[in-house]
Amino acid sequence: MRNLLIVFGLSVILAYASQYYGYNYMLEAGEKKKVNIFIVAMVVLMILFVGLRTGYNDTATYLRGFENAETLQMFFADKENLNLLHNPLFYFMQAFFHTYINNVHLFFMFWATINIILFVRFLLTYTDGEDFAFTIFIFFSNPIFTVAIIT
């Protein structure tokens, strides 16, 4: 829980810094989009927190599932794995990571990278630039981060 509170506090501080010291969200026509280092730092912090986790919510279930995952050969041999109602993409990626990388934390970081970038991109798109720190505060205060991303 302490680590979650640290990530929470640092993310709000980085979001606040991005409001006032980062680039302006509203670019003029023809202006190139600049990289906001504070947003990048916040996203990397969240990805590392989620990817290196060892004991939040149902992490143990994902750890056991990864350890018992099929290899790609076994995955493609079973036609039941290709049934769209049985979440084939997730199990394919699990088999891929288990076969070629065999590191559960990189598996977590892969999914965390996708989720967190999409979440932050959504929040940046639909938040007024002056309220971004408050939006990140609400993002962490509601169970969105702890339920949707960590599980």
Side-chain angles (χ1 to χ4, degrees):
M1 183 61 135
R2 180 187 63 208
N3 292 341
L4 177 61
L5 291 175
I6 291 169
V7 171
F8 173 38
L10 287 175
S11 294
V12 171
I13 290 168
L14 288 168
Y16 183 79
S18 75
Q19 284 178 205
Y20 295 102
Y21 303 111
Y23 66 87
N24 188 359
Y25 292 111
M26 304 302 287
L27 299 173
E28 299 295 324
E31 215 179 332
K32 282 184 131 183
K33 197 170 190 176
K34 300 172 193 133
V35 174
N36 187 332
I37 194 69
F38 299 109
I39 299 293
V40 172
M42 183 181 67
V43 167
V44 168
L45 177 70
M46 289 181 194
I47 289 170
L48 289 175
F49 173 73
V50 175
L52 298 175
R53 72 180 190 244
T54 56
Y56 288 98
N57 295 342
D58 57 354
T59 302
T61 304
Y62 285 111
L63 288 169
R64 272 193 307 276
F66 186 82
E67 291 168 0
N68 299 328
E70 301 175 329
T71 63
L72 277 177
Q73 225 173 8
M74 293 169 53
F75 176 82
F76 286 119
D78 186 5
K79 295 206 186 288
E80 186 66 26
N81 288 332
L82 302 178
N83 184 348
L84 290 178
L85 299 176
H86 293 170
N87 203 0
L89 179 61
F90 176 77
Y91 290 114
F92 168 76
M93 292 305 297
Q94 190 173 21
F96 176 82
F97 271 84
H98 185 72
T99 302
Y100 292 111
I101 300 171
N102 202 17
N103 186 333
V104 71
H105 293 294
L106 292 178
F107 178 66
F108 286 162
M109 279 192 207
F110 172 77
W111 292 111
T113 300
I114 293 171
N115 281 333
I116 290 172
I117 287 174
L118 290 175
F119 264 118
V120 171
R121 177 93 175 151
F122 176 81
L123 294 174
L124 280 170
T125 302
Y126 294 105
T127 302
D128 183 27
E130 295 176 3
D131 296 331
F132 185 61
F134 182 68
T135 302
I136 292 296
F137 177 81
I138 297 297
F139 177 65
F140 275 97
S141 297
N142 287 329
I144 295 170
F145 185 74
T146 54
V147 173
I149 294 181
I150 294 179
T151 60

